[in-house]
Amino acid sequence: MRISIVTMFPEFFASPLGVGIVGRAMEAGLVEVDLVDLRRHGLGRHRQLDDSPFGGGPGMVMMIEPLAAALDPLQGTHRVLLTPAGPPVTQATLDRWALVDALTLVCGRYEGVDQRVSDHFVEEEASLGDFVLAGGEAAALAVVEGVARLVPGVVGNPDSVESESFRTGLLEEPHYTRPAEFRGWGVPEVLLSGDHAKVEEWRLRMRMARTRERRPDLLDGGFAQGGDPG
Ligand code: JCQ
């Protein structure tokens, strides 16, 4: 899979792409990341990328020309603009993106991006959550990692991808490992009992209790809960 990232800050990605699961996936040739430096397409002697908004108001807007120049050669890839104004990314969204041969992530900055970029140069917008970052770079990195681990061969044991929280529709139960007691803090007795059926029953009860308490929206089961309209 090839992932192109359109960004004003290609240096942002150097060290995170070199380590962990993503680093290994890239070394193995399973994932290729291509950093597209927006500045190369900036206008004029100052390589300008942004301008003040029509209609007035604070802040700056990313101009269409540099983004069009960066995105024209990426036609035919699945292009995503990362913005807090987009529909939420869920595990289902990452499942869908992991199936494409070529994914493009566009990192927005400033107050926003000229609407015509969204209208004519990307297939969809997407948000990582209801918060505002300085730019889409950290969001793009999160998407690269979330998608890379779904590419066949990247994660050693595919069962770990199958069993994880957002596929069962429940949050994960608490986990424990040695020592069985630390500073007087023990672990739930059932986990030491050797009774596998009881352990599984306990895990399911904990997943349901946690989900009810922390993420009741996941249990409502209605539209937009873990869904992905794309
Ligand atoms: C992404 N959740 C938050 C900030 C404008 C395209 O316009 C903008 C992009 C950003 C950066 O992305 C985020 C974000 N998912 O803040 C403002």
Side-chain angles (χ1 to χ4, degrees):
M1 162 172 226
R2 184 183 182 87
I3 305 178
S4 300
I5 304 177
V6 176
T7 173
M8 291 171 57
F9 299 109
E11 325 84 76
F12 182 95
F13 297 91
S15 84
L17 290 179
V19 300
I21 294 248
V22 174
R24 248 200 307 116
M26 289 180 65
E27 275 167 35
L30 296 169
V31 174
E32 187 186 332
V33 176
D34 161 40
L35 297 169
V36 178
D37 186 355
L38 250 191
R39 189 65 64 181
R40 287 191 19 215
H41 302 288
L43 302 189
R45 206 164 54 81
H46 295 106
R47 299 265 165 263
Q48 191 183 338
L49 296 175
D50 61 318
D51 204 344
S52 36
F54 278 133
M60 301 291 273
V61 174
M62 289 176 75
M63 297 187 293
I64 192 169
E65 294 103 317
L67 281 160
L71 287 167
D72 269 337
L74 295 167
Q75 257 192 63
T77 71
H78 189 79
R79 298 161 299 180
V80 178
L81 174 65
L82 295 162
T83 162
V89 171
T90 65
Q91 192 62 46
T93 317
L94 298 186
D95 288 345
R96 180 161 59 77
W97 292 347
L99 295 175
V100 308
D101 291 324
L103 181 68
T104 296
L105 303 172
V106 183
C107 305
R109 286 247 149 199
Y110 304 112
E111 277 19 70
V113 172
D114 190 298
Q115 180 59 37
R116 292 166 292 185
V117 173
S118 181
D119 293 344
H120 304 291
F121 289 93
V122 304
E123 335 305 322
E124 62 184 312
E125 297 186 354
S127 165
L128 252 59
D130 295 339
F131 48 82
V132 180
L133 302 169
E137 281 76 10
L141 209 41
V143 169
V144 169
E145 191 166 306
V147 165
R149 60 189 289 287
L150 300 178
V151 171
V154 169
V155 169
N157 181 1
D159 289 349
S160 68
V161 170
E162 270 318 304
S163 69
E164 68 205 9
S165 161
F166 289 106
R167 278 172 217 290
T168 65
L170 296 172
L171 300 183
E172 290 209 351
E173 73 277 17
H175 303 289
Y176 298 89
T177 187
R178 278 179 281 276
E181 186 176 317
F182 179 73
R183 297 189 182 172
W185 302 313
V187 309
E189 203 58 52
V190 61
L191 297 180
L192 308 175
S193 70
D195 185 336
H196 187 67
K198 274 199 132 165
V199 167
E200 283 312 308
E201 183 199 294
W202 177 86
R203 285 180 171 157
L204 180 58
R205 257 193 307 106
M206 294 303 286
R207 293 205 294 267
M208 294 192 297
R210 245 190 193 186
T211 308
R212 197 179 322 112
E213 204 155 287
R214 301 178 180 186
R215 293 293 305 278
D217 57 303
L218 294 177
L219 295 173
D220 293 345
F223 177 75
Q225 248 53 61
D228 178 54

